[in-house]
Amino acid sequence: MDVSLPDGNGLEVSKELIERNHTAMPPVLLMSADYNNEKMAFSSGAKSFLRKPFDVSDLLDRVEILLAA
């Protein structure tokens, strides 16, 4: 999910999802055009971060890696 959501903050959503579903939660991948959000993304519990703009093949590769883990 994007860090900047139209009706919220992706960092907070990630943190809340992981806290509520820590045993059955699929890995969270966050993305943002703001490079400063990378460190915050990982502190929110995200397993991966993509800087925007990104290549769709990079996104698909990361999703595949995350789901295989």
Side-chain angles (χ1 to χ4, degrees):
M1 80 183 89
D2 201 321
V3 169
S4 299
L5 298 172
D7 59 347
N9 179 319
L11 296 167
E12 292 299 318
V13 172
S14 172
K15 197 175 201 177
E16 188 173 325
L17 283 170
I18 292 166
E19 286 174 1
R20 289 186 182 186
N21 304 296
H22 64 279
T23 58
M25 185 65 203
V28 172
L29 182 151
L30 287 170
M31 59 187 74
S32 178
D34 184 350
Y35 297 130
N36 296 320
N37 283 328
E38 184 170 4
K39 189 173 185 177
M40 291 186 295
F42 288 111
S43 68
S44 78
K47 297 295 182 195
S48 191
F49 180 83
L50 274 175
R51 291 183 178 134
K52 290 166 60 177
F54 56 85
D55 188 277
V56 174
S57 65
D58 290 338
L59 172 63
L60 294 175
D61 288 344
R62 287 184 190 231
V63 169
E64 186 175 327
I65 291 166
L66 289 170
L67 293 177

